[in-house]
Amino acid sequence: MVAGGIIGLYIGGMEVPVAVTDEAIQKIKGMIVSGALRPGDRLPKESELAAELGLSRNSLREAVRALSLIRILDVRQGDGTYVTSLDPQLLLEALSFVVDFHRDDTVLEFLAVRRILEPAATAMAAARISEAELDALGEQLDALGPQPSVEELVAADLEFHRGIVQSSGNAVLCSLLDGLSGPTTRAGIWRGLTQEDAVSRTLHEHRAILSALRDRDAEAARSWAMVHVAGVEQRLRSTL
């Protein structure tokens, strides 16, 4: 409903203006940012918090609902509402949900973002990845063999890059790239179906990335990761 230029939401049979809900969200956010509420803290009772913030209980309830959807708050039935851990991986989970609604044209934009971030993460991993982790990546590639199916290749590609990015030591970067994996994985499937040399090329590029990581050569690892992601982007662009 629109009244006086303000869109209203109906909650429990009562209309709550979006502007009022936004204000409630900002006030709760302010408490978390200021440290008044910390990760793991339980929010005061609804009536007390509403009075403290000068909000109606309906607008507060809707703000809590919205913040729980994006994993800022955790509503526990019969126990109360808590601030989550605010871990980057938890907060960025919503990204993969949004990314899943990509269109054919926007998948190229996601790939462009991956082309910027993944080489940097791969270069960072060169100094941090353990020998055991490198061996695990090598065993994963060996297990694929020279002619894996498209499905096997795409699943392995996802795990290969995830393993490297996790070794970068940057949880935010890891979560961002993990969130982007949905459309890029589907693009990989498409590439596997439309490009005859996709399998051999992908395996070759993976081997080159792994070799650079074994040599602890950050710039070579960065370059091969760039070649790999840019190649996917370029071939998909020509297909679209």
Side-chain angles (χ1 to χ4, degrees):
M1 180 178 179
V2 178
I6 298 178
I7 299 175
L9 298 175
Y10 279 94
I11 306 162
M14 298 185 64
E15 185 181 7
V16 179
V18 169
V20 175
T21 303
D22 286 345
E23 179 188 5
I25 290 172
Q26 290 302 318
K27 286 187 175 182
I28 297 174
K29 175 185 172 183
M31 294 181 71
I32 296 172
V33 172
S34 70
L37 286 173
R38 298 181 179 277
D41 282 356
R42 180 177 176 174
L43 269 64
K45 291 182 180 179
E46 184 181 271
S47 57
E48 296 174 3
L49 186 58
E52 179 182 345
L53 297 178
L55 300 168
S56 72
R57 294 178 67 173
N58 282 317
S59 62
L60 175 61
R61 193 173 299 130
E62 182 61 14
V64 167
R65 186 180 303 172
L67 290 170
S68 68
L69 288 174
I70 58 173
R71 312 301 293 273
I72 301 293
L73 298 178
D74 179 20
V75 180
R76 305 175 188 174
Q77 286 295 99
D79 187 15
T81 300
Y82 293 79
V83 180
T84 67
S85 65
L86 302 181
D87 181 84
Q89 186 170 358
L90 181 70
L91 298 182
L92 289 168
E93 278 182 2
L95 174 63
S96 61
F97 181 81
V98 173
V99 165
D100 280 340
F101 289 95
H102 79 284
R103 304 185 307 273
D104 288 345
D105 55 342
T106 55
V107 71
L108 291 170
E109 296 183 4
F110 291 125
L111 276 166
V113 175
R114 184 181 162 195
R115 174 165 47 83
I116 294 168
L117 297 179
E118 192 155 306
T122 305
M124 291 166 65
R128 301 176 62 96
I129 193 166
S130 70
E131 291 297 326
E133 289 168 330
L134 288 168
D135 289 342
L137 291 174
E139 290 169 5
Q140 181 190 84
L141 291 179
D142 291 341
L144 273 179
Q147 293 295 327
S149 68
V150 172
E151 292 77 13
E152 289 171 336
L153 179 66
V154 170
D157 181 76
L158 179 61
E159 289 305 312
F160 180 80
H161 292 289
R162 178 179 288 155
I164 292 171
V165 172
Q166 285 176 341
S167 298
S168 71
N170 188 310
V172 174
L173 190 55
C174 185
S175 297
L176 283 171
L177 284 166
D178 208 37
L180 292 170
S181 67
T184 56
T185 299
R186 284 193 289 274
I189 294 174
W190 194 348
R191 179 166 68 111
L193 293 172
T194 59
Q195 301 286 338
E196 292 182 0
D197 65 342
V199 173
S200 60
R201 185 172 300 192
T202 298
L203 293 175
H204 170 70
E205 291 165 356
H206 281 189
R207 291 285 183 189
I209 292 170
L210 181 58
S211 178
L213 290 173
R214 284 196 183 280
D215 292 341
R216 306 294 175 180
D217 189 335
E219 288 312 308
R222 183 197 307 273
S223 297
W224 274 112
M226 176 75 77
V227 166
H228 180 58
V229 180
V232 177
E233 182 185 359
Q234 182 180 20
R235 286 185 285 277
L236 184 57
R237 188 179 298 278
S238 64
T239 302
L240 293 176

